[in-house]
Amino acid sequence: MGKKKKDNLPVLAEEYPRDYNMADWKYEKIIEQIKEFESFLDDDHEIGLKLASFGSSVIMSVTDIGYQNPDILYFYGFVDGKEAQLIQHISQLNFLITSIEKEDKEKPARRIGFALPTLQDESDEELEERLRKRLEKELEIEKENKKTEKKD
């Protein structure tokens, strides 16, 4: 059974437009940049983020990134060999992606572990379901925000 055409997707997109102000969009854009940067690293280097918002410069060895709509991104990793988590509002994103030497020369270089689904990897049904779930979450958040506004 072959894939069906995605003829119904533009209707879905028109009916439920993407909100580019949400954290999931920023997350996807950051992942694209990190994956591209990682593609140029050799086996002795890993991704590091240079953070400059703590009064001094801090280098974080990133192992994972997450998000929570509408506006929070999470960066997990290590700072000076200690576990660390950065919680960042999307309006505050400002860091330098850099390469750092891996600490353990015996282990393979650590790469950030995430995979974005692509249109080629998903069936029509899977893509439509993913879009619907994202929309449902965004609508739920919007309703909650309106309730909160009415109370204030």
Side-chain angles (χ1 to χ4, degrees):
M1 188 164 121
K3 284 189 175 182
K4 295 189 297 186
K5 283 186 165 181
K6 295 182 178 4
D7 294 334
N8 59 340
L9 293 182
V11 173
L12 181 64
E14 287 174 17
E15 191 176 336
Y16 307 113
R18 175 102 192 238
D19 186 346
Y20 295 103
N21 294 313
M22 299 294 270
D24 62 334
W25 174 250
K26 310 301 191 252
Y27 170 82
E28 290 176 19
K29 295 284 110 193
I30 290 169
I31 287 172
E32 287 174 10
Q33 293 301 307
I34 287 174
K35 282 195 165 293
E36 182 178 346
F37 191 89
E38 279 184 334
S39 72
F40 294 103
L41 293 179
D42 61 26
D43 292 339
D44 295 325
H45 290 84
E46 302 172 335
I47 284 276
L49 296 184
K50 190 167 189 172
L51 312 168
S53 58
F54 300 103
S56 64
S57 180
V58 174
I59 300 281
M60 180 179 204
S61 175
V62 179
T63 57
D64 198 9
I65 300 174
Y67 70 91
Q68 180 178 357
N69 278 331
D71 55 13
I72 302 294
L73 288 167
Y74 302 97
F75 297 86
Y76 304 92
F78 298 90
V79 173
D80 297 327
K82 296 178 183 172
E83 279 194 46
Q85 177 184 359
L86 172 64
I87 301 169
Q88 190 81 50
H89 189 274
I90 60 173
S91 67
Q92 301 286 316
L93 289 177
N94 188 13
F95 53 82
L96 173 72
I97 299 174
T98 187
S99 65
I100 56 175
E101 280 192 39
K102 64 181 183 178
E103 289 183 24
D104 189 342
K105 303 291 185 198
E106 301 300 315
K107 292 183 179 177
R110 185 173 30 222
R111 297 296 182 239
I112 299 176
F114 42 60
L116 282 179
T118 64
L119 292 178
Q120 296 87 354
D121 296 336
E122 292 181 299
S123 69
D124 292 343
E125 294 80 16
E126 290 169 327
L127 178 60
E128 189 171 341
E129 181 63 21
R130 185 171 58 86
L131 292 172
R132 286 193 192 287
K133 283 181 180 178
R134 185 179 69 220
L135 174 67
E136 287 172 4
K137 283 183 183 179
E138 290 175 7
L139 291 174
E140 186 177 310
I141 290 167
E142 190 176 312
K143 284 180 186 177
E144 288 299 316
N145 289 340
K146 286 181 182 179
K147 285 180 187 177
T148 304
E149 288 173 6
K150 287 180 182 179
K151 289 180 183 178
D152 295 339

